[in-house]
Amino acid sequence: MAKEKGRKLIAQNKKARHDYQILDTYEAGLVLTGTEVKSLRQGRASLADGFIQMDGHEAWLYNVHVPEYSQGTWTNHSARRKRKLLLHRVEIDKLESKSQETGHTIVPLALYFKDGRAKVEIALARGKKEYDKRQTLREKQDRREAERAISAIRRKQRA
């Protein structure tokens, strides 16, 4: 059986990009049980309430919902258990020191398979204020309107 190549997205946390200003991103491996991997291969997971905490110089992923595997038996996992993240010591130390600063947190952005292994993209982030969120939405809307206007002009020139 050949290993799959590339990146297969399982779940994304779009709300995190809206609620937080992303300062730095990291790719981390996950310590999973067999039924969790099978459930993820079915494309079922939710990062909506997920967050990362440092505990004893280790990174742990909390509140990520991986539903129980439908064909699982008594070996099935609990859906919201904490999962250990696999990072280099330097990355853990950096994240630990930065997350202690006021206003900084670590959030999961995406859950995916990369070359057959489950990975999670995590980000060091700072919470946005309400006016920052409105400003971001306004910029996005302005960009979209400008692109529409440009494409309309190009259509007129072709005709």
Side-chain angles (χ1 to χ4, degrees), residues 79-95:
R80 288 201 182 268
R81 76 175 188 90
K82 71 178 190 175
R83 294 164 180 92
K84 187 176 178 179
L85 295 179
L86 303 173
L87 290 160
H88 292 283
R89 172 61 48 207
V90 176
E91 293 173 331
I92 290 174
D93 292 341
K94 185 176 179 183
L95 283 170

Side-chain angles (χ1 to χ4, degrees), residues 5 8 34 63-64 81 97 100 106 125 139:
K5 293 289 179 191
K8 181 186 170 227
N63 269 5
V64 170
R81 76 175 188 90
S97 66
Q100 308 253 324
I106 309 167
E139 287 170 2

Side-chain angles (χ1 to χ4, degrees), residues 33 35-36 64-69 75-83:
T33 63
T35 55
E36 285 175 316
V64 170
H65 186 264
V66 178
E68 288 187 355
Y69 182 55
T75 59
N76 234 338
H77 63 279
S78 63
R80 288 201 182 268
R81 76 175 188 90
K82 71 178 190 175
R83 294 164 180 92

